[in-house]
Amino acid sequence: MPMGKEELMKKLEEKIRNCRKCPLGKLRTNAVPGAGSYDAKVMFVGEAPGYWEDQKGLPFVGRAGKVLDELLAEIGLSRDEVYITNIVKCRPPENRDPTEEEIKACAPYLDRQIDIIRPKVIVPLGRHSMKYILEKFGFKAEPISKIHGKTFEARTLFGRIVIMPMYHPAAALYRPPIKEELRKDFQKLKELLSSAL
């Protein structure tokens, strides 16, 4: 009998926790595979874990996570109904941006998560995530300030996926106007989810 989503995801999470494909594997406290529903319609993809994520082994549990929780609540969703992950599963030192090599080493895990969960909507959070996801599905990446909140429709082996890039919630912590943009984009996401996906 073929394995179910839960079994496939648990195996993948174990693989991520034991990964040493790049130097970050030696520096981390905990790998952060992701969290949420394996049957989620929406997958949020951030860039890399920060300090608190590394400590707890869970995505978006620091200050940016509080912003994300608030935005989800505003459109009637909770973490249990979505899946939240990052392209890079281990924390880069000093919270620096992930390198191309780190993204390349770690991206197959994200690809596999997408294949198993089969979300209807992928929301890349931040420019590194946006660039990887858009290019993976054959689109050209542009500045996030230009394309946040816009939708891109991709075809996959398991059907249609809508990609809706957004600013990273961390940006809202030090640039209040970004929080307003995120709010508007989350409202667009709510409309998208209530349409016939």
Side-chain angles (χ1 to χ4, degrees):
M1 197 173 104
M3 275 192 265
K5 278 186 184 187
E6 187 159 350
E7 206 178 334
L8 288 167
M9 285 297 285
K10 295 284 183 214
K11 271 192 153 71
L12 182 62
E13 286 163 7
E14 195 53 37
K15 211 170 176 180
I16 292 167
R17 286 191 189 95
N18 293 310
C19 180
R20 295 283 186 272
K21 282 169 38 180
C22 82
L24 296 182
K26 296 180 189 80
L27 304 171
R28 68 175 182 232
T29 306
N30 287 294
V32 184
S37 170
Y38 300 149
D39 293 311
K41 275 189 180 171
V42 186
M43 180 184 275
F44 290 91
V45 182
E47 316 213 306
Y51 173 80
W52 288 110
E53 291 76 17
D54 180 55
Q55 292 300 304
K56 298 182 179 183
L58 293 167
F60 284 88
V61 290
R63 289 171 60 215
K66 287 186 175 46
V67 174
L68 182 59
D69 288 344
E70 196 183 304
L71 292 163
L72 284 168
E74 284 178 16
I75 63 165
L77 286 175
S78 73
R79 282 178 179 251
D80 301 341
E81 299 168 273
V82 300
Y83 192 80
I84 303 170
T85 190
N86 290 295
I87 305 183
V88 172
K89 312 299 188 191
C90 298
R91 180 189 181 212
E94 308 303 312
N95 286 356
R96 66 160 169 72
D97 287 341
T99 65
E100 281 300 314
E101 293 73 34
E102 289 158 0
I103 291 170
K104 202 172 168 182
C106 220
Y109 294 132
L110 173 63
D111 295 345
R112 188 75 185 111
Q113 287 173 318
I114 292 168
D115 289 344
I116 296 169
I117 293 172
R118 302 182 170 196
K120 301 281 188 206
V121 182
I122 298 176
V123 180
L125 298 167
R127 62 194 163 97
H128 295 286
S129 176
M130 172 213 62
K131 182 180 186 304
Y132 178 76
I133 296 284
L134 286 179
E135 289 176 358
K136 169 184 167 56
F137 288 104
F139 298 101
K140 187 179 175 295
E142 293 186 62
I144 198 144
S145 56
K146 197 172 165 186
I147 61 170
H148 71 88
K150 291 194 163 77
T151 56
F152 299 81
E153 194 175 312
R155 299 258 167 228
T156 69
L157 294 174
F158 54 84
R160 179 177 83 118
I161 286 186
V162 177
I163 302 161
M164 183 186 278
M166 293 189 195
Y167 284 109
H168 194 287
L173 294 170
Y174 49 90
R175 290 175 55 201
I178 297 250
K179 191 161 189 188
E180 265 325 294
E181 294 297 333
L182 274 165
R183 278 202 163 100
K184 288 179 196 162
D185 291 348
F186 265 74
Q187 286 306 317
K188 289 179 191 170
L189 175 61
K190 184 182 183 176
E191 286 161 26
L192 180 65
L193 291 171
S194 59
S195 69
L197 264 182

